[in-house]
Amino acid sequence: MIHAIGRRKTSIARIYMEPGKGTITINKKDYKDYFTTGPLQYIINQAQETINQKDIYDINVNVEGGGYTGQAEAIRLAIARALVKVDENNKPPLRAKGLMTRDPRMVERKKPGQKKARKRFQFSKR
């Protein structure tokens, strides 16, 4: 069994991968029930499809924090990292698609005296 972690924004995904029939379980649900839209399901499968190993591993995922898109991208990074742990030869094709890079973009913090991170309160001259 291989364990890997992926992060995106405030989402953290912990995956446990072992040889099997190709089932993906996210928080004790099938991934098609957890992510109902096609683009998010594509993101989940992207790393395995890149190296043509779609139905080889059973993947159990625990994910928390953030929204659906951040969670899906965190899972994709964790799966890519686990596939590299299995075989180092998987790294160049995954790196070429940009799946091995942790996206560092986070929400900027709100500053005091302002409405949001950059937006100011309305200014009235008179």
Side-chain angles (χ1 to χ4, degrees):
M1 181 175 283
I2 292 149
H3 176 255
I5 294 177
R7 294 183 184 90
R8 172 73 171 99
K9 291 187 176 182
T10 55
S11 300
I12 301 169
R14 295 171 186 84
I15 72 156
Y16 302 92
M17 191 167 80
E18 57 189 351
K21 292 185 166 74
T23 59
I24 300 175
T25 309
I26 301 171
N27 291 349
K28 298 180 181 170
K29 286 181 166 180
D30 184 56
Y31 83 102
K32 291 186 177 177
D33 295 331
Y34 194 84
F35 294 115
T36 55
T37 62
L40 294 177
Q41 292 174 10
Y42 171 77
I43 287 173
I44 298 297
N45 292 319
Q46 194 174 3
Q48 291 174 296
E49 288 175 358
T50 301
I51 57 170
N52 298 323
Q53 293 185 356
K54 182 127 173 38
D55 296 326
I56 297 176
Y57 298 106
D58 287 341
I59 300 172
N60 188 12
V61 182
N62 294 327
V63 65
E64 60 186 17
Y68 285 119
T69 304
Q71 287 185 351
E73 292 179 7
I75 293 167
R76 176 176 68 183
L77 176 61
I79 291 171
R81 286 178 172 173
L83 290 170
V84 170
K85 281 185 182 179
V86 170
D87 185 9
E88 278 292 322
N89 295 328
N90 293 334
K91 194 168 187 174
L94 292 170
R95 167 84 60 206
K97 291 269 185 169
L99 303 181
M100 293 300 299
T101 305
R102 200 278 199 206
D103 194 340
R105 295 177 294 172
M106 300 282 281
V107 176
E108 193 173 337
R109 79 176 191 86
K110 182 196 172 297
K111 278 65 163 206
Q114 296 181 13
K115 199 166 187 147
K116 298 194 312 189
R118 306 261 173 124
K119 188 176 185 180
R120 310 293 206 271
F121 290 114
Q122 186 173 357
F123 174 73
S124 173
K125 197 163 193 174
R126 286 176 185 78

